[in-house]
Amino acid sequence: MTSNIKKQKDILISKINTVMLVIAALLLITCYITTRDKTSAGEFSIIEPTTVATLADGSTEYFLDTSDFDYHYTGILFYTSHHRVLGYSSGKQIYSFTKDGGIWTKSTGSKFHFIDINENMHFVSIIVNPVYDEVAGQNITFYIGSSYGMYNTILLDSMPRFFISLLIVLLSMVILAYYGMLHKKQQLSKELLYLGWFSFFCGVWSINETDAANLIFQNRILNSIIPYVCLMLVIPPFIMFFDSYLNIYSKVLRKIIIWASMLQFVVLTALHFLRIAEYRQTLVVMQVMLVLAVFYMIIGMIVQLINRRITKHIEICAVGLTGFLIAVIVDISQYYKATGDADRIGRYVFFLFTLILARDMIKDANEIIEKGRQVKQLEIFALTDSMTGLFNRNAFESHAKSGGNLEGLVAVVADANGLKHCNDTFGHEAGDEYITIVAEIFNEVYGKYGNCYRIGGDEFCCIIPANRNVNTERLKNLFMTKIYTANVNGEHEYKIGVAIGDATYDSSVDSDFRALVKRADAHMYENKRASKSS
């Protein structure tokens, strides 16, 4: 009863802490929104090109008239993805961004361009040359204003999306760490492992797609490769997780999609480094594979619903997938309409979805752990003597049947003298106390060297492994000394007497384990007879 009350209190405290954390987070978010310095947003504005010309090499030249802007406007900002950029004013080059990734990619990567201007630059010409035909014709928006103000505003605007993407990665690492620590000990299923890797790749991809990451991490070549690698590597753990989580288990389809995704990675990577078709040029293939993976999940859910196997997992996936698909449709449409961070709402939905999945999985894992703990506890009860805390007869018999190397093994047998007299004279409670005292002293002396068993009502045995190299005569004297001390200092009315004997395995005398114990038992009886005669 007390244990249940304590458990309920712990649950209540946990819920209160969760509510407090949520409230604190909401307060901080509200504080951020209401106290944010918005002056920087007014320090720049969109500047429309006066003329746009398409050059013979496929480049697009934008002419910007800056004569109407005063000295506060010190820079022009725009974003490109996989483009070479040149800037001119009065025929003089003022900006260049043409360096590619060398052996890694012919792309220049994605970048926010800040071109410094002054009051003498009334006209600026910007030439944008696409690295791939697939990115030609991107709609580029130009801003003019304070370079610091523009940088700061973009960073602050993107920070919530960067933060939620970072949370996805951190959540995936927590899931992987949880699985890594407990899967062997508790025999957890690999669902948590698959969920961890699936969410990790999605989180890394999501971080890389934020404007904040583009500004903070200056390795534009690595940033241009990471998202495509993540999109390809995410498919196997995605399939494996939902296949197990939803109990789909379609071995043929699962293998086809996983092997196809692995083949995709090898082939597209080879094409990329051979400069036949780089990752950005084969993005459609990656997206098709992702769609196939999602369809596998959806079809699996439909089959389960048709068979009326409506489980908690199906309900969670149905709600999460609906929200996620809506977000993906919106974000993909934005991706092809504009450059920059197009994933506006998908990462939030995905974080919540992953959080719900992880909570459900960890809850199931904890239930398995608790059941395992209960089974272990029952095993302990089955092998432990409830009165003395020593191993019981069942445990002793299990040890006897286990076999193993007997060379050098030591068996010690002890028997409480006069227990029947104690029970008849002082009652069974005194008799139980008698046994408990003897067991405590026996375990105190011999328990540090081997396992101690209560093998009968008043009989005890300790099995000491050969590698302990014990002095049995010294331990026997120590044991008898402690029995004497218990009689002298004890407040009980009865006198404790114990006979003890030991034997070390000798292959010439002992045929097996039981023969060894029998010989130790014989030495104990010799000790018993000697104590009675004295």
Side-chain angles (χ1 to χ4, degrees):
M1 184 68 179
T2 304
S3 177
N4 289 335
I5 293 173
K6 186 177 182 300
K7 189 174 182 180
Q8 289 176 358
K9 286 183 178 179
D10 291 341
I11 293 172
L12 179 61
I13 291 172
S14 176
K15 288 183 177 179
I16 292 173
N17 286 335
T18 302
V19 171
M20 289 175 64
L21 286 172
V22 172
I23 292 174
L26 291 174
L27 286 174
L28 290 173
I29 293 171
T30 304
C31 178
Y32 169 79
I33 293 172
T34 56
T35 61
R36 178 181 170 186
D37 184 7
K38 298 180 181 179
T39 56
S40 61
E43 293 177 354
F44 70 95
S45 57
I46 295 175
I47 178 172
E48 296 289 349
T50 56
T51 308
V52 178
T54 301
L55 305 183
D57 62 354
S59 302
T60 302
E61 185 171 15
Y62 300 88
F63 295 92
L64 305 176
D65 183 356
T66 62
S67 59
D68 292 336
F69 298 91
D70 60 26
Y71 67 93
H72 291 293
Y73 296 88
T74 58
I76 293 173
L77 163 71
F78 57 99
Y79 176 88
T80 63
S81 180
H82 308 292
H83 285 77
R84 303 179 188 91
V85 178
L86 294 172
Y88 296 90
S89 180
S90 302
K92 184 178 180 181
Q93 182 175 304
I94 58 174
Y95 183 80
S96 175
F97 177 72
T98 58
K99 186 177 180 180
D100 61 27
I103 63 171
W104 298 101
T105 176
K106 64 182 180 182
S107 173
T108 53
S110 302
K111 182 177 174 60
F112 279 99
H113 305 274
F114 293 89
I115 301 180
D116 293 328
I117 60 173
N118 57 49
E119 64 275 10
N120 296 320
M121 297 179 183
H122 298 299
F123 296 96
V124 174
S125 170
I126 297 173
I127 300 175
V128 178
N129 183 16
V131 176
Y132 311 117
D133 293 337
E134 287 77 9
V135 298
Q138 281 185 352
N139 182 29
I140 299 177
T141 303
F142 296 91
Y143 299 91
I144 186 169
S146 162
S147 296
Y148 171 78
M150 290 187 290
Y151 181 96
N152 189 47
T153 300
I154 292 171
L155 186 64
L156 289 176
D157 180 64
S158 180
M159 195 54 68
R161 296 187 291 281
F162 177 82
F163 180 70
I164 202 70
S165 299
L166 183 62
L167 283 181
I168 294 173
V169 174
L170 293 176
L171 177 61
S172 70
M173 294 174 70
V174 169
I175 295 171
L176 291 171
Y178 180 88
Y179 176 82
M181 290 186 294
L182 297 177
H183 81 282
K184 286 185 178 179
K185 186 177 180 181
Q186 303 298 339
Q187 296 182 340
L188 299 179
S189 70
K190 290 187 176 181
E191 288 178 11
L192 274 172
L193 177 66
Y194 301 140
L195 177 62
W197 283 117
F198 160 53
S199 55
F200 175 79
F201 289 126
C202 287
V204 172
W205 171 82
S206 184
I207 285 178
N208 193 79
E209 289 296 302
T210 61
D211 292 340
N214 197 287
L215 292 172
I216 296 171
F217 306 124
Q218 295 299 313
N219 194 327
R220 53 187 172 79
I221 302 303
L222 181 63
N223 290 352
S224 69
I225 294 176
I226 285 176
Y228 305 114
V229 173
C230 288
L231 285 176
M232 290 186 286
L233 293 180
V234 77
I235 294 175
F238 175 90
I239 292 292
M240 295 299 290
F241 170 73
F242 284 107
D243 186 76
S244 177
Y245 187 71
L246 297 174
N247 295 318
I248 301 173
Y249 298 124
S250 175
K251 292 183 179 180
V252 176
L253 282 176
R254 181 183 66 193
K255 285 183 178 179
I256 288 174
I257 296 176
I258 290 176
W259 279 104
S261 70
M262 294 168 64
L263 181 63
Q264 169 195 247
F265 179 80
V266 173
V267 172
L268 296 191
T269 300
L271 292 176
H272 175 85
F273 285 102
L274 291 173
R275 299 292 176 87
I276 298 172
E278 295 199 356
Y279 285 140
R280 178 58 184 87
Q281 296 171 287
T282 56
L283 177 60
V284 174
V285 179
M286 302 178 196
Q287 291 172 336
V288 169
M289 283 302 304
L290 285 171
V291 170
L292 286 175
V294 173
F295 267 118
Y296 176 81
M297 172 186 169
I298 294 173
I299 292 170
M301 290 175 59
I302 293 172
V303 170
Q304 298 287 55
L305 292 173
I306 291 173
N307 294 328
R308 297 183 178 179
R309 297 173 185 168
I310 303 175
T311 63
K312 176 183 64 174
H313 293 178
I314 293 288
E315 293 173 351
I316 290 173
C317 288
V319 174
L321 187 62
T322 301
F324 189 58
L325 287 177
I326 294 171
V328 167
I329 291 170
V330 173
D331 289 338
I332 286 180
S333 65
Q334 285 293 112
Y335 179 84
Y336 287 104
K337 286 181 180 179
T339 57
D341 186 2
D343 185 11
R344 293 283 171 171
I345 61 174
R347 52 174 56 94
Y348 297 100
V349 176
F350 180 77
F351 173 72
L352 291 174
F353 187 34
T354 306
L355 191 63
I356 292 170
L357 288 172
R359 181 182 179 277
D360 183 54
M361 291 295 302
I362 291 175
K363 182 181 177 182
D364 289 346
N366 286 337
E367 288 178 357
I368 293 172
I369 292 171
E370 179 61 23
K371 288 178 181 178
R373 189 191 66 80
Q374 291 175 358
V375 169
K376 190 71 176 177
Q377 195 66 40
L378 289 174
E379 290 177 355
I380 293 173
F381 288 153
L383 299 175
T384 304
D385 179 59
S386 59
M387 180 186 296
T388 62
L390 304 182
F391 288 109
N392 61 17
R393 183 78 192 190
N394 292 333
F396 179 79
E397 292 297 333
S398 177
H399 182 96
K401 294 175 182 177
S402 62
N405 184 24
L406 300 176
E407 196 64 40
L409 200 70
V410 177
V412 182
V413 177
D415 182 87
N417 298 330
L419 179 61
K420 185 177 184 304
H421 175 71
C422 177
N423 282 327
D424 294 341
T425 307
F426 303 104
H428 286 282
E429 288 187 6
D432 291 345
E433 184 184 46
Y434 190 121
I435 293 172
T436 302
I437 293 172
V438 173
E440 288 176 352
I441 296 173
F442 187 73
N443 191 53
E444 183 182 348
V445 174
Y446 291 100
K448 63 182 71 175
Y449 301 104
N451 290 336
C452 294
Y453 304 86
R454 183 187 179 193
I455 57 177
D458 56 357
E459 294 180 37
F460 305 92
C461 180
C462 181
I463 306 300
I464 302 174
N467 58 1
R468 302 314 297 264
N469 296 321
V470 297
N471 185 327
T472 55
E473 192 62 30
R474 184 186 70 82
L475 292 180
K476 180 180 177 180
N477 292 333
L478 177 61
F479 176 75
M480 297 309 295
T481 300
K482 288 183 176 292
I483 292 293
Y484 174 80
T485 303
N487 279 321
V488 173
N489 298 332
E491 298 180 355
H492 40 78
E493 300 176 289
Y494 48 83
K495 182 181 179 181
I496 301 172
V498 183
I500 191 165
D502 58 69
T504 302
Y505 180 78
D506 184 348
S507 59
S508 63
V509 180
D510 305 313
S511 59
D512 55 20
F513 175 79
R514 293 188 185 278
L516 168 65
V517 176
K518 189 175 182 179
R519 193 155 58 85
D521 198 51
H523 291 164
M524 181 272 294
Y525 276 108
E526 290 176 7
N527 179 254
K528 185 186 285 283
R529 285 192 294 271
S531 63
K532 285 182 178 179
S533 62
S534 61

